[in-house]
Amino acid sequence: MGSRNSFCGALFALLTLSAWPLNTLCLSNLPKPERPLLGRVSSDNEEFPAYRNSALCVDDRVEDLLKRMTLEEKAGQLFHAMLFMGPNGTLDEGSETARRNSTDFMIGEQLLTHFNLVGDITDARQVAEFHNRVQRQALKTRLGIPVTLSSDPRHHFTGNVGTGFNAGRFSQWPETLGLAALRDADLVRKFAEIAREEYLAVGLRAALHPQVDVSTEPRWARIGGTFGEDAHLTAELLIAYIKGFQGEKLGPNSVSTVTKHFPGGGPMENGEDSHFVYGKNETYPGNNLDYHLIPFKAAIAAGARQIMPYYSRPIGTKYEPVGFSFNKGIVTDLLRNELGFEGIIVTDWGLITDTVIAGQYMPARAWGVETLTELERAARILDAGVDQFGGETRPELIVQLVHEGIVSEDRLNISVRKLLREKFILGLFDNSSVDLDAAARVVGNDYFVRLGNEAQRRAYTLLTNKNDILPLRNIEPETKFYIEGFNATFLRNRNLTVVAKPEEADYALLRLAAPYGPRPGGFESGFHAGSLEFLADERKRQAAIYSSVPTIVDMMLDRPAAVPEVAEGAAAMLASFGSSTEAFLDVISGIAEPEGRLPYDLPRSNAAVEAGMEDVPFDTRDPVFKFGHGLSYVNRCGDAGNRTGH
């Protein structure tokens, strides 16, 4: 035993000394013998298998691991499940009531290694410790395949827990709509680089974003996560976004990105969302699918690693009217063959299994193939050309498909090979743990927080400013404010006076959510959909305030709003895209200045939107404000600024 260990140590030293030429002349690029040269030497040593040898080429390591895997281990790679953290950073024990498997079961029995971290991050050290516990659990499995931990967007203000999380301890930035309002690709890259550092610090190695859908249908509930209505602006900014997260080349210091939702979720029929059965259709009355592909073409050229199709089914196109991940014409013919994407394709969440989300029953989003069994749905998705099932934990279905001869193991190998390769390139097999002290030091550090706060302020978009009422400089403490939408403590901390009635005030400050039609259900209620107009009673209530006192309105535009009466009645109107109350007060007081320009048109009415075509941008009649509109404050030298225009 001793002589064998000495030999292995010497061999490892030799391989280490050979790292430079191996990196510059990869063996996988040379004509291959039956087995790779170094892999052949190392594979015979089960204490140090070839796939553990960082001196080998990635492709050689992948092939060595793949040939060792059982069918069950391969099936486990094909699922990307939700992962909850237990109390104080412990492993989650699962919940029968919540239909949630334990972490031990998913890793140890189902052999899953891809997880989406659920919940806010409020203690970076604790989350980093949880991540390390998860990785230690993965190392206990037969092959010790490390976990890839992913996340939905975490750095923006959002009220929708279904599609993102509050920033918590991470630095806090405007939504991507706010980044689009600034038209600054360098800032987007800086944001993504900072987000990458905070992700890496707690062990997040895949980003379930950017969302590059083009918001051509103003009623859609998920516009808040997009870059707006212009496909070309979206393409420009997403390149910076992907480069910021991944770097110029994917490696151990990268976060892999999942660009979504192919082929663009913007043109939803009547603006409804395809999470829900009434919103399953995506429609193209303007024959404008190519416009929605512009961002995806840019993402592929920029090195996008993973792409996620949306739930919807296409209506009125040459493609079969079935959900995009079930749709071979979309996945293989269009995305793979026509656009040339060679990376990982992962479905959106929950296409196979019915479930309950936030207390609400949610059928599988198997639109167009609802009558298929769960087994048939899984087979259909694989046949379409997809590599991984999002939000599912059903590896037994894949094993059954192979045993019954419906899907070949060679077909699984195609996808498993891609998924393993991503882990190797990210360096997870060589160092899967994170430094707890570094996590506490990096996440939410003063510099990152300052840049995020500055971006929140800059992204404010000044829509109207009658008589140059803004900024409110040199306000005296006795000046009285009537407020809605934020706590009076913020003003009192600035030595300002808050009153209870508009008629008692010198100014009114209203922070308003954009109008929407409330929906039922624990999950569905988080989606702001339906009407873009305020109800008549709310319009009347606001009008009484506008007529009583000069009113400054900050409208939080998670999607376009049809509110001409606000633009007409308010003394000043601002649009914001994820910002703190402190940011709002700094902007109206002149401590900071609004620099944003609208990332979409603001329509005049619901009727104007209904008359437009879901897939065509900028086609609503007589918008109140057009894409690119944004005013500047009059500067102290007396020159007015106006940045209206494209």
Side-chain angles (χ1 to χ4, degrees):
M1 181 67 73
S3 61
R4 177 171 179 173
N5 287 339
S6 298
F7 170 75
C8 293
L11 175 59
F12 182 70
L14 174 62
L15 295 176
T16 303
L17 289 172
S18 302
W20 180 81
L22 283 174
N23 287 336
T24 56
L25 181 62
C26 186
L27 290 177
S28 63
N29 294 329
L30 296 175
K32 291 186 178 181
E34 184 178 350
R35 294 171 64 189
L37 176 61
L38 292 175
R40 183 165 60 226
V41 175
S42 300
S43 292
D44 295 333
N45 179 3
E46 295 304 323
E47 294 179 8
F48 187 54
Y51 72 89
R52 288 289 177 192
N53 187 346
S54 62
L56 292 178
C57 298
V58 166
D59 288 346
D60 294 336
R61 299 176 76 184
V62 169
E63 294 305 319
D64 181 76
L65 177 55
L66 187 63
K67 72 184 181 185
R68 297 170 184 269
M69 296 175 73
T70 65
L71 172 59
E72 289 74 16
E73 287 164 335
K74 292 175 182 179
Q77 300 304 310
L78 301 185
F79 290 84
H80 196 140
M82 308 288 275
L83 186 67
F84 290 77
M85 185 171 69
N88 302 314
T90 57
L91 299 183
D92 179 43
E93 296 181 354
S95 169
E96 185 174 349
T97 302
R99 302 186 179 189
R100 190 172 77 242
N101 291 325
S102 71
T103 302
D104 283 351
F105 178 76
M106 289 191 291
I107 293 176
E109 300 295 327
Q110 294 186 307
L111 305 174
L112 274 55
T113 71
H114 296 83
F115 294 100
N116 173 22
L117 181 63
V118 180
D120 292 347
I121 289 178
T122 57
D123 184 332
R125 175 185 287 272
Q126 186 177 90
V127 173
E129 188 172 14
F130 167 73
H131 165 269
N132 288 351
R133 286 193 179 105
V134 170
Q135 296 292 11
R136 287 195 295 270
Q137 198 70 14
L139 281 172
K140 294 177 183 177
T141 61
R142 187 179 73 90
L143 295 173
I145 299 173
V147 161
T148 304
L149 201 59
S150 70
S151 177
D152 283 295
R154 288 185 176 274
H155 283 81
H156 313 298
F157 282 79
T158 175
N160 186 356
V161 298
T163 55
F165 297 101
N166 294 321
R169 279 276 291 127
F170 280 21
S171 56
Q172 300 187 2
W173 296 70
E175 296 276 6
T176 45
L177 282 173
L179 298 176
L182 288 169
R183 284 15 181 215
D184 186 345
D186 290 338
L187 178 65
V188 173
R189 174 111 186 208
K190 175 62 72 174
F191 156 73
E193 289 172 344
I194 287 172
R196 172 175 55 161
E197 292 302 320
E198 293 186 311
Y199 271 39
L200 289 172
V202 297
L204 297 172
R205 302 308 306 274
L208 299 175
H209 44 95
Q211 184 186 339
V212 303
D213 311 293
V214 185
S215 61
T216 52
E217 167 47 75
R219 293 169 291 182
W220 188 37
R222 299 195 64 182
I223 290 174
T226 74
F227 291 98
E229 194 169 357
D230 187 271
H232 300 284
L233 176 63
T234 297
E236 176 189 356
L237 299 182
L238 74 85
I239 292 170
Y241 196 104
I242 289 172
K243 295 291 188 183
F245 270 97
Q246 294 184 175
E248 289 297 327
K249 182 179 180 181
L250 198 76
N253 295 313
S254 298
V255 171
S256 179
T257 57
V258 180
T259 302
K260 61 187 186 184
H261 303 89
F262 191 78
M268 300 305 305
E269 187 175 69
N270 300 320
E272 299 294 357
D273 185 70
S274 53
H275 274 88
F276 311 105
V277 64
Y278 54 75
K280 67 176 68 173
N281 292 338
E282 196 156 309
T283 185
Y284 301 88
N287 194 29
N288 207 28
L289 172 61
D290 285 347
Y291 184 77
H292 294 266
L293 295 178
I294 290 171
F296 293 96
K297 292 177 180 178
I300 292 168
R305 302 294 303 184
Q306 305 182 52
I307 287 181
M308 177 185 290
Y310 206 32
Y311 297 117
S312 322
R313 62 175 190 168
I315 300 298
T317 72
K318 67 179 182 180
Y319 299 103
E320 186 181 3
V322 298
F324 289 131
S325 287
F326 297 94
N327 202 316
K328 194 168 187 175
I330 292 291
V331 173
T332 294
D333 296 343
L334 178 58
L335 181 54
R336 293 283 192 209
N337 296 341
E338 185 175 333
L339 300 188
F341 181 65
E342 298 178 349
I344 296 165
I345 299 176
V346 54
T347 75
D348 212 329
W349 268 213
L351 301 191
I352 299 174
T353 313
D354 296 351
T355 190
V356 173
I357 304 176
Q360 179 178 354
Y361 169 72
M362 294 289 292
R365 271 70 77 198
W367 308 140
V369 293
E370 292 92 338
T371 59
L372 295 184
T373 65
E374 293 174 340
L375 190 69
E376 290 168 337
R377 292 171 187 171
R380 174 93 187 221
I381 289 168
L382 289 173
D383 183 62
V386 171
D387 298 301
Q388 193 173 59
F389 301 87
E392 296 277 0
T393 56
R394 303 295 304 280
E396 73 279 3
L397 293 177
I398 308 305
V399 172
Q400 183 179 348
L401 286 171
V402 175
H403 283 162
E404 294 182 4
I406 299 170
V407 173
S408 71
E409 193 164 351
D410 286 343
R411 167 61 186 91
L412 301 192
N413 289 345
I414 292 171
S415 294
V416 174
R417 187 176 282 113
K418 294 177 188 175
L419 294 161
L420 293 177
R421 193 171 194 277
E422 198 81 351
K423 290 179 185 287
F424 279 111
I425 294 173
L426 290 172
L428 288 169
F429 278 89
D430 305 315
N431 184 15
S432 62
S433 65
V434 296
D435 185 311
L436 307 187
D437 292 334
R441 184 173 62 251
V442 170
V443 172
N445 70 65
D446 290 345
Y447 175 62
F448 291 175
V449 168
R450 176 168 63 81
L451 291 185
N453 289 342
E454 288 174 357
Q456 289 179 40
R457 288 153 174 78
R458 290 181 58 204
Y460 263 92
T461 301
L462 183 61
L463 301 178
T464 68
N465 193 18
K466 297 172 184 175
N467 300 315
D468 296 317
I469 188 173
L470 293 180
L472 300 175
R473 291 194 173 103
N474 303 315
I475 295 294
E476 300 296 330
E478 59 270 19
T479 303
K480 298 181 178 64
F481 290 89
Y482 170 78
I483 66 170
E484 290 182 7
F486 63 100
N487 195 292
T489 303
F490 289 100
L491 282 181
R492 292 178 180 137
N493 287 344
R494 296 180 181 227
N495 296 316
L496 297 173
T497 302
V498 178
V499 296
K501 298 178 180 179
E503 54 268 26
E504 299 172 353
D506 299 302
Y507 298 98
L509 305 178
L510 309 184
R511 298 198 78 199
L512 302 176
Y516 63 93
R519 298 292 171 91
F523 182 67
E524 190 175 353
S525 63
F527 286 71
H528 292 180
S531 176
L532 301 172
E533 301 176 3
F534 286 118
L535 296 175
D537 287 349
E538 176 60 15
R539 292 199 300 270
K540 183 178 180 181
R541 187 191 73 80
Q542 291 180 22
I545 299 173
Y546 303 150
S547 64
S548 297
V549 60
T551 303
I552 298 158
V553 172
D554 170 17
M555 187 164 291
M556 293 167 273
L557 291 178
D558 57 345
R559 60 185 189 141
V563 289
E565 74 282 357
V566 178
E568 178 65 26
M573 181 180 179
L574 294 137
S576 59
F577 308 97
S579 64
S580 67
T581 296
E582 293 289 6
F584 167 60
L585 296 177
D586 280 356
V587 168
I588 66 171
S589 63
I591 296 172
E593 296 198 9
E595 299 180 30
R597 291 183 287 169
L598 281 176
Y600 40 52
D601 285 354
L602 291 190
R604 190 161 295 276
S605 65
N606 285 334
V609 171
E610 291 164 4
M613 292 182 283
E614 287 94 335
D615 59 328
V616 177
F618 312 119
D619 72 333
T620 56
R621 178 173 47 85
D622 189 25
V624 179
F625 299 108
K626 292 185 177 182
F627 171 87
H629 176 77
L631 307 175
S632 299
Y633 290 157
V634 172
N635 69 31
R636 296 180 183 182
C637 297
D639 300 324
N642 187 326
R643 297 184 311 284
T644 296
H646 288 56

